[in-house]
Each structure stands twice: as C-alpha cells, then as structure tokens.
Amino acid sequence: MNKLLRYPKLFTPLKLHQHHPSTPKYTNQIKQHTIQLKNRIICGSMHTGLEGCSMPHPILERLVSNFQRNDQKLEAMAEFYAARARGGVGLMITGGFSPNNAGTLYPFSSKLDSSVEMEFHKVVTRRVKESSVGKFYEYPEDAGAGCYRTLPMQDFVSDDEDEEEDYKAKICLQILHAGRYAAHPYGVSSTESKSPISPFAPRKLSDDEVQRTIQDFIQCAMYAQEAGYDGVEVMGSEGYFINQFLSPRTANPDHNLDDRLSLPLSIVRGIREACGEDFIIIYRISLTDLIEEGKMPWNEIVELAHRMDEEGNVSIFNAGIGWHESRVPTIATSVPRGAWSWTVDQLKKSLPKLQTPISAVNRINAPQTAEKILSNSSADLITMARPFLADELFPIKAYHGHAEYINTCIGCNQACLDHAFVGKTASCLVNPHACREMRFNFKNVDDSSNTISSNYKKKRIAVIGAGPAGLSFAVTASKLGHDVALFDKSDKIGGQFNIAKLIPGKEEFYETLRYFKKHLDLLNIHTQLNYDVNNDNMEEIVSSYDRIVLATGVTPRIPAIPGIGHDKIVSYYDILTGTFKDSGRTLGKKIAILGAGGIGFDVAEYVLKYKRSNENDTDRGDDARSIITANTSSLSPAESVDPNKFYQEWGVNVERHGEINIAAIAATQVAEEKDHVDIYLLQRKSGKLGATLGKTTGWIHRSTLKRHGVNMMPSCKYEKIDENGNLHLSIPDGDHKNKSSKIKSITLEVDNIILCTGQEPNRLLHDSLIEKYIQKGNNDEKNVYMIGGAFKAGELDAKCAMDMGMRLAYRIHEDQVDEKLLEDQPEFEEKLMKTLK
C-alpha cells in the first residue's frame, strides 16, 4: 500500500483464507479459497428498525402472493446498505435476524427461517453489489457528495493488480438469537434464569431442542447464502443466546466446559459444511462480559477462540464487549475512544499463534483512532457501527485525506439505540438522513424527474441562529441547491452545543462543531457572526431573501418562587458559559440544583468537575472549562480523555481481563466527593430522577451522580428562598411514591442555587418578520418558519432540532411546507412496542 495515504493500514486489503476443517491449520499449504476485503473497515451490526417485521408464515405468504412484491419489504434496508457501499466500506454486517420464532427480540421482529423470508433479502444484496464504490474510491455522483469532488483527491495507490471484484463491498447477515433477552413469553435459554432487562423468564431447552436450534442457525445461514449474502455473523456475545450457554451466570450447572463450548463450535462447523469455502463466517466472541458475578472466565474465552481457530471454520473474529445488562458503559459518549481495544491484545497474547483475523470494536469513531489501533495493537480490522449512521462516506473521506469533513459519531445513543429499544426506526442525531435514504436523499437533485426535485426552484434563504437546528437546515438546504445565508449574534456557531461540549464526557460534541464549520466554508454558505437581527436591520433581510428560518433557540425559564432574585441564585446558562465566573463569583461547597432533566444532570456532573479542578488543579484554571479545553498537544478534546480514569471510575480491572467491582469503589468515591462539594439535585415530579433521559444512557448519569454522593430528591415543592438564600421545601415524609404520605417542611442551607427549570422558546423576531413580508406584499405564501427551540422548547434536544432543520429544508425545497410534519411521526413498530408494554 502506497505510503502517501494518511491511513495506510486502514486501507490495506485483507485476504481471508478459507480451508476445510480437516486441513491442519498451522501448515504451509497454500489455501485455494480466498476472499479479499478491500480495506480493514467493517460496518458493524446495529438495530436500525429497517429489518422489517416477520409475520406468521401463512400471513406472510398471503402478503407476498397478493399484496407485496418480494423486493419491497426490505427496500429501505437495501438503500441504507447501498449508501454505505457507495461510501467505500470493505464489509458490512446487517442488523440481527433470528433463526427461529423463539429467538426473535420481540413479537414479529425480524427473522430468516423460510424461503419466503429469503426472497425479501435479494434486493438488499443486489443493491449492495450494484452500488459498491469499487476500486478507485470515487465520491458518489449526487449533490450530497458532490461538494467533496472540489477537494484534492488521492490517487488510487494499490501496489497489487487485484481484480475489480476484489474491491466490491461485502455484506454479511447477522444471525442473532435473543435467548432470555426476548421481550415475549416464548423465549428460550440454557436455564430458566430471567434477565433483569426482560419482562419474561425463558423456558429451558432440552438437549434435543438445543440440537434443533443448532440446525436452525445452519438453515438460516443457508437462506442467507441463497439470498446473495457473502457470509454471516454468528452473534455469540453481548449476553444473547450463545453467550447464555457459555457464562457461569446463566449456563446449565450440570454442563462441563466441553458441553458449553459445543454449542458455538457445532453452529460454526455446521454452517461451514453447509455453505462451503467461499462463504464468510464471522463469530462475535465475547472478550469481556463486564458483569460482576458469573462472567465467562478468561481461560475459557481463550479456549473457545483456540478451538475455533484450530478448526479453521471462522473467517473473522469480531470482538464483543459487555452484556446488555452490564452496569459498565461500553459505547456511550463518556467512554474514551478505543477504550476496549486491549481485549484484542490480550487474546493475541494468550494465543500467539492465532491465525484468524480479529476486529477491534466499540467507540472507534475516527480514522486516526482506527489507524492507531491497527498500528499499535494486535487488531487486524476495525468494526464501527454508529459512525456509519453519522457519515456513510466515512471510508472515502478518510481515504482521500478529508477526515476533517467526516461527520463524527458523538456516541449519544439518542437516535440510534434509544430508538431501537422503543421500536422506532433508528437514525442519527448529527445525521438525520440516516435510515431515511428512501425519503431524504441528494440523488439527482437537479433532475426534474426526481420526486424530490419536481418542484425545484432555487431560493434565497436567510437562517437566523447558528445552533444545531440552524446549522442542520443551512447545510441541507445548500446541498439541495439553494442560496443560504446564516446569521448569529454570537461570535461562534453552535448555540447550545457550545454549552454541551463543556460537560465531562461530552468532549465529542466539539467534533460536530468542527464538521459544520468545515461545511459552511466548503458550501460557500455566507456566515455572518456577531450580527444581531433586530428592527434596525430587519428590512434589509426581508428585502434580500425569499424565506427566513428562525432558529433562535431558547432562553432559560425562571420559576415563580418567592425570593428568586437573591444573589445566590444563578442560571445554568451563566454557569456553563462562564458569565458567573467572569463576574468574579465562585460556587460554594453546598449547592442545590433545581430541575432534574437533561440539563440538571449535566450541570451536576459539571459542578463535580468544577469543584475537583478548583481544589486539585488550580495551576490549570479554576473551572471545568479550562480543564476540558486545556490541550497542549495536537489531540482533540475527545482524543485527550484518559481511558485509565474511565476504568477507575467504573471499576474495570484491565489486568484481570475486565473483571469489575463497582461496589468496592462507590463508597470511596462518595467520601472523596463530600470533601469537595455537597450537591442536592431536586425535581418537582414524583418518580425517579432523570426519567426523560435517554433509555440507554440515563442509567449511566444516575449511577455516576449516585456514586459521587449527589443527593437526588423527587416530589419537591419549592416554597421560597429566604433572605439568606436558603431554600425552603415541602417533601413527602416517607416514600415519595405513596401519595398518602404526610408532607414535611425542610430548609436547605446552601451556598448557591442553580436553576435548571426548563426553557422558553425565543420567538421575539417572528411576528415582526411576518409583518415586514406583509408590508412587502408577500402575503400569499408563508415566508417565515420556526425550527428547533424557537418552534418547541419543551423537552427539546439537539436530536429533534437537527431533524427538524433537515426536514424543513426538504419541505421548502419541495414547496410543501406543513409545520405539523416537521416532527418525526410514530411508525408501526413503535406503536406495537407501546401496545405490548
């Protein structure tokens, strides 16, 4: 591979040598069957919601014969993976498909256990093969990618004379049996042990039923091969079915090691015998379970890998990290980049003769991180899932040295995993196009025959507000061919993202701002900062633009509490923007935070960092902002996060292969934290605090604050703030969930009260702008639109704001604006999940 490439190891092709199980593994015999991956990048499996529902066979067959073409059910899934194939990925793995009814995640969820189901998949494999970028890593010919063609390009640099076919993207189907994670009453497992995250206990399989399940796995792989897939991934980690037979936590206690290992070995062996040599078999192997009791011992993990490698049936090992019920974060934004790559190193050290390639996984979201892992560790490949939601062109941009234009996954989980767990189609906070390629795309924008472009008329559009909603709209509308100008009264773009990026664990948010800055320049979007739109200059804007988009965000809500004007009161906004510090004030040791939504939790974590840095790191500044942003190296804030501090925080013992003991460190953390600051996090509602936080990340924030001794109090009535700045409360005397509990009054003697009590939409300009257009004589059509916080402040987050900005850009492009359609609507799967609950 030519060394001119910025990431040469990432783009070195990999040959997968297949051989028959009877062939000794460690010989010099030349293997006849070789499959080449054009690079070391795997788009990992993820639940997108595009996998479709699997109805009972009689209903499904009737639908196929009478109502639905075979290529329609998975058409959206096909376009999703086709877009990633155009983006230059080497290998893709679909979301999980169960091999039988019992293994589905919830009733009627995706499975592949019949020829009828198999027919649906042919459109997926066909579209991937048609769309693969091929040998030369050329940007797709559409308006979304066309802007990158103006940048300097890397010549094709392979030293080999490989066939064009070797550079086509490969796609494998993941076979996933939920086991006891099934959200339905007919789940099965190794024992009757109920999962803490599932509503039903499973039924224990008999030995004969285990054998039939093995055959179901094999048959599923055969259907996948017939559908045109290049291979399959067998899910053997994350606490699913196979993992349940291996771990002491859930395995049959009467089984010895040979009995337990026989399940995955028999599945893989059977698939190889049934599907032949020219078929990729990936085994997702759990390298650390991250559970406190009953984790699979390291020597048994090594033994499983050794036996699979020795038999030679596995093409690739894909590392698996943690069970879903683990109380250690594995992929959230607070996890440092590449934090789990050590698992691959340890396996290679334990098996120095391991020949099966192995892929490192989890929180690898940048090409420089991937290249570093390939260079410094034992990994042969890199698996990234959510980064391909954030940017389907990730590989091409990295190949051509355009990494600064990659839309980086920030690990928030808000639109991907949080959607998946409520039956909603996944997407991406920073890329709302993801999983909606059928509806929102940039293909053939100037083609009048395209449905998106049939009413296309270039418009001049002013966007007021450069926060998440305004930036999303501006970039999307510009790519759709419109002339966009962006105005903001601040001296920098980003809006609320400039606050969010300062929270400990949210350093990735800097990357989103970098992405938008680069694209404002690339797309020549006129950007005017330090520009306050008001009555003095409004006339000029109205006269110059056909449409105006108000993305002016929110203002903090001030609650009506007697004494709210006391000097001890401070808004979260003043704390996080530095206004409070710049006024010469400092936070005291005892603090009450009013409001326990997302902002309240963020402020609590920020204050913990603030006080620690103030007492221990005074040479680097006296607030968390200076600690987070202080960076003397060329590394970004996200790259500068120390993984060792993360391991210590969550009790992960790397030397003991991921053994954890969270309870042992919790008491020490609380005692240490009380020396720095005493925080009360209060909410008016009953129930647990942070109930509106992300489904897959809320527990992380609650656990963090609890371990650091934050006092979390629900069902609070704020009575008054007295002349000394103390907070008077009425709270239940006993269980707050019991509505008949007596009420008692307490007084919190605090040094500061931070208000996180909601937000109000900033719509000050709206009516005046409409009046100006009416005066101009344009009253036949709508000219002024609101998005983001200006449209809806209640429960607003960046996911909704960016999604709304993208949707409005397409609606204006089509001249079909209906503000009721600017918010995502519930789909069938989401309604089904709510019904089941």
Side-chain angles (χ1 to χ4, degrees):
M1 179 61 63
N2 192 307
K3 293 182 180 180
L4 292 176
L5 281 177
R6 187 177 295 182
Y7 312 108
K9 291 189 177 295
L10 196 59
F11 289 97
T12 299
L14 176 66
K15 295 185 184 297
L16 303 176
H17 299 291
Q18 313 287 31
H19 67 284
H20 193 274
S22 62
T23 304
K25 181 73 175 180
Y26 304 113
T27 69
N28 294 322
Q29 178 178 338
I30 298 176
K31 301 176 179 65
Q32 300 299 316
H33 301 277
T34 300
I35 299 173
Q36 175 166 295
L37 304 182
K38 68 180 176 184
N39 55 46
R40 304 302 177 98
I41 303 172
I42 298 176
C43 173
S45 176
M46 50 190 151
H47 305 291
T48 63
L50 302 178
E51 293 83 15
C53 290
S54 293
M55 298 290 140
H57 289 170
I59 299 175
L60 192 61
E61 289 168 3
R62 185 174 178 83
L63 284 173
V64 171
S65 60
N66 293 339
F67 304 109
Q68 192 176 40
R69 295 202 335 260
N70 289 358
D71 63 348
Q72 288 183 332
K73 179 182 174 184
L74 298 181
E75 196 170 342
M77 176 178 158
E79 187 51 42
F80 173 83
Y81 288 109
R84 276 78 201 155
R86 288 192 294 271
V89 67
L91 172 65
M92 296 175 286
I93 305 170
T94 71
F97 287 83
S98 175
N100 55 33
N101 279 319
T104 56
L105 287 167
Y106 56 88
F108 307 135
S109 64
S110 55
K111 61 185 174 67
L112 178 55
D113 65 347
S114 71
S115 58
V116 176
E117 291 276 7
M118 180 272 297
E119 289 293 333
F120 287 124
H121 286 263
K122 289 183 176 179
V123 65
V124 178
T125 58
R126 184 175 68 250
R127 292 288 293 118
V128 166
K129 288 175 172 57
E130 292 171 352
S131 304
S132 182
V133 72
K135 191 171 183 177
F136 298 102
Y137 288 94
E138 295 174 334
Y139 279 107
E141 294 182 355
D142 61 60
C147 57
Y148 307 116
R149 289 172 172 261
T150 63
L151 299 170
M153 296 292 168
Q154 171 70 59
D155 293 333
F156 180 68
V157 293
S158 174
D159 295 327
D160 305 319
E161 296 182 0
D162 301 304
E163 297 293 330
E164 178 70 22
E165 190 65 27
D166 289 334
Y167 283 83
K168 294 288 182 69
K170 308 293 190 297
I171 183 166
C172 295
L173 178 133
Q174 186 189 73
I175 308 176
L176 183 151
H177 191 301
R180 72 177 194 154
Y181 281 170
H184 53 69
Y186 47 92
V188 296
S189 186
S190 51
T191 66
E192 295 178 349
S193 171
K194 180 181 175 295
S195 163
I197 62 173
S198 300
F200 304 100
R203 180 177 62 82
K204 178 183 175 181
L205 288 177
S206 67
D207 291 343
D208 287 343
E209 288 175 316
V210 170
Q211 292 304 312
R212 286 199 294 271
T213 303
I214 292 172
Q215 292 306 310
D216 289 340
F217 271 86
I218 297 168
Q219 184 63 63
C220 182
M222 294 170 67
Y223 282 133
Q225 185 178 42
E226 188 176 353
Y229 286 101
D230 298 290
V232 293
E233 177 179 71
V234 176
M235 169 52 89
S237 67
E238 265 73 11
Y240 288 112
F241 180 78
I242 294 176
N243 221 172
Q244 293 160 22
F245 278 77
L246 299 175
S247 168
R249 187 185 188 103
T250 50
N252 188 329
D254 296 330
H255 287 177
N256 59 31
L257 179 60
D258 289 337
D259 294 332
R260 295 196 299 274
L261 299 187
S262 67
L263 176 65
L265 288 169
S266 297
I267 289 172
V268 170
R269 190 183 303 128
I271 292 174
R272 176 61 67 207
E273 291 174 354
C275 296
E277 309 302 326
D278 295 319
F279 192 70
I280 300 171
I281 300 177
I282 305 167
Y283 184 76
R284 188 76 178 264
I285 183 169
S286 183
L287 294 186
T288 178
D289 293 340
L290 295 180
I291 50 179
E292 289 192 85
E293 296 179 1
K295 73 185 291 288
M296 189 175 179
W298 179 250
N299 65 299
E300 295 186 8
I301 294 173
V302 172
E303 182 62 21
L304 173 61
H306 171 65
R307 294 190 191 186
M308 284 191 166
D309 185 59
E310 199 169 49
E311 289 193 6
N313 293 314
V314 173
S315 310
I316 297 170
F317 283 127
N318 205 4
I321 308 296
W323 285 32
H324 284 312
E325 61 202 73
S326 167
R327 294 291 88 186
V328 177
T330 57
I331 59 174
T333 187
S334 57
V335 180
R337 290 185 181 182
W340 305 109
S341 60
W342 56 265
T343 59
V344 173
D345 287 339
Q346 291 187 357
L347 184 65
K348 284 287 188 78
K349 288 178 182 177
S350 296
L351 291 174
K353 293 185 178 180
L354 185 75
Q355 292 194 10
T356 304
I358 186 166
S359 187
V361 302
N362 286 22
R363 284 293 288 130
I364 304 169
N365 64 345
Q368 62 269 27
T369 305
E371 184 74 10
K372 181 179 178 181
I373 291 172
L374 291 174
S375 301
N376 299 340
S377 81
S378 302
D380 303 289
L381 300 113
I382 299 293
T383 297
M384 298 175 281
R386 295 172 305 158
F388 279 95
L389 288 173
D391 198 330
E392 70 276 13
L393 300 178
F394 183 112
I396 286 188
K397 291 178 180 179
Y399 181 88
H400 290 294
H402 303 157
E404 64 270 29
Y405 294 95
I406 290 175
N407 198 359
T408 302
C409 167
I410 61 175
C412 67
N413 287 5
Q414 290 182 36
C416 49
L417 287 179
D418 285 354
H419 278 205
F421 279 95
V422 296
K424 191 179 181 72
T425 300
S427 188
C428 180
L429 183 151
V430 299
N431 178 27
H433 289 86
C435 297
R436 295 157 176 166
E437 290 81 7
M438 295 288 291
R439 170 64 183 90
F440 303 110
N441 63 70
F442 298 110
K443 290 190 293 183
N444 304 317
V445 164
D446 298 321
D447 182 356
S448 60
S449 65
N450 186 273
T451 55
I452 287 182
S453 310
S454 57
N455 296 314
Y456 172 61
K457 178 183 177 182
K458 187 172 184 177
K459 301 175 182 68
R460 288 178 53 78
I461 307 171
V463 183
I464 303 175
L471 291 168
S472 176
F473 175 88
V475 169
T476 304
S478 180
K479 286 186 174 184
L480 287 169
H482 300 283
D483 187 358
V484 182
L486 184 63
F487 302 91
D488 198 288
K489 65 181 180 181
S490 175
D491 61 351
K492 53 184 173 292
I493 67 167
Q496 296 276 318
F497 252 51
N498 287 307
I499 295 176
K501 71 184 183 184
L502 302 175
I503 305 302
K506 292 190 175 182
E507 293 81 8
E508 292 288 3
F509 285 50
Y510 282 91
E511 303 294 346
T512 303
L513 297 178
R514 179 262 309 153
Y515 168 82
F516 277 115
K517 286 177 184 176
K518 298 298 293 186
H519 281 76
L520 292 178
D521 292 339
L522 182 65
L523 296 166
N524 294 315
I525 295 174
H526 174 72
T527 304
Q528 197 160 344
L529 302 177
N530 294 306
Y531 190 90
D532 186 13
V533 178
N534 51 47
N535 287 326
D536 295 334
N537 53 31
M538 196 178 293
E539 184 73 41
E540 180 182 351
I541 290 181
V542 168
S543 301
S544 302
Y545 296 95
D546 307 312
R547 304 283 189 275
I548 294 180
V549 176
L550 272 183
T552 43
V554 296
T555 56
R557 179 186 295 132
I558 307 300
I561 304 173
I564 196 68
H566 196 279
D567 287 345
K568 287 186 178 181
I569 309 299
V570 59
S571 165
Y572 76 89
Y573 186 83
D574 291 336
I575 291 289
L576 297 178
T577 58
T579 304
F580 177 78
K581 176 197 169 211
D582 294 342
S583 67
R585 295 186 288 172
T586 57
L587 287 174
K589 185 176 179 180
K590 196 169 185 178
I591 297 167
I593 299 174
L594 274 56
I599 294 176
F601 272 80
D602 279 352
V603 168
E605 293 190 42
Y606 180 88
V607 170
L608 289 172
K609 182 92 172 186
Y610 177 105
K611 298 304 293 183
R612 286 198 301 270
S613 63
N614 189 38
E615 297 184 21
N616 297 331
D617 296 289
T618 52
D619 58 317
R620 295 176 62 189
D622 63 354
D623 72 352
R625 289 180 303 134
S626 63
I627 299 300
I628 293 170
T629 57
N631 183 16
T632 57
S633 73
S634 60
L635 299 177
S636 69
E639 292 174 293
S640 304
V641 177
D642 183 1
N644 290 313
K645 290 183 179 179
F646 169 81
Y647 305 141
Q648 182 181 7
E649 172 84 7
W650 290 95
V652 179
N653 190 326
V654 174
E655 284 70 29
R656 295 181 65 84
H657 314 293
E659 183 178 293
I660 65 171
N661 191 345
I662 296 177
I665 65 170
T668 303
Q669 288 178 340
V670 170
E672 291 177 351
E673 213 57 63
K674 291 292 185 182
D675 293 336
H676 298 292
V677 62
D678 197 4
I679 298 175
Y680 293 85
L681 182 61
L682 315 175
Q683 75 173 21
R684 287 176 168 170
K685 296 178 183 177
S686 61
K688 68 180 180 182
L689 274 69
T692 60
L693 299 176
K695 186 172 181 65
T696 60
T697 55
W699 69 270
I700 300 172
H701 300 294
R702 284 188 290 270
S703 178
T704 298
L705 296 191
K706 182 179 179 181
R707 288 203 316 278
H708 287 278
V710 173
N711 305 285
M712 293 185 269
M713 300 171 57
S715 304
C716 297
K717 182 179 180 181
Y718 312 134
E719 299 290 355
K720 69 174 183 178
I721 298 162
D722 64 27
E723 64 275 9
N724 296 316
N726 297 321
L727 179 62
H728 294 253
L729 302 170
S730 295
I731 62 172
D733 187 7
D735 186 2
H736 66 87
K737 296 180 181 178
N738 186 353
K739 294 183 179 180
S740 62
S741 294
K742 293 182 179 180
I743 302 300
K744 67 178 181 180
S745 298
I746 65 170
T747 300
L748 294 181
E749 297 181 358
V750 294
D751 300 309
N752 298 100
I753 299 173
I754 303 176
L755 301 180
C756 304
T757 47
Q759 303 167 114
E760 300 285 353
N762 182 2
R763 300 172 177 170
L764 295 177
L765 300 174
H766 182 258
D767 292 347
S768 298
L769 286 168
I770 290 178
E771 183 63 28
K772 291 290 184 183
Y773 271 109
I774 292 175
Q775 293 174 4
K776 187 182 174 183
N778 289 356
N779 53 2
D780 294 331
E781 57 181 329
K782 189 169 178 61
N783 303 95
V784 181
Y785 308 96
M786 294 186 295
I787 56 174
F791 178 84
K792 181 182 178 182
E795 302 297 336
L796 178 84
D797 55 28
K799 179 192 74 172
C800 297
M802 289 196 180
D803 181 73
M804 197 177 292
M806 183 269 292
R807 288 174 184 271
L808 180 62
Y810 278 93
R811 292 292 181 185
I812 289 179
H813 183 74
E814 299 162 348
D815 284 324
Q816 296 178 3
V817 178
D818 181 348
E819 289 188 341
K820 294 179 181 178
L821 299 177
L822 293 183
E823 296 182 85
D824 202 5
Q825 302 299 310
E827 298 169 339
F828 171 76
E829 288 84 354
E830 184 179 4
K831 293 177 181 177
L832 176 63
M833 288 288 282
K834 288 181 179 178
T835 301
L836 292 172
K837 289 182 179 179

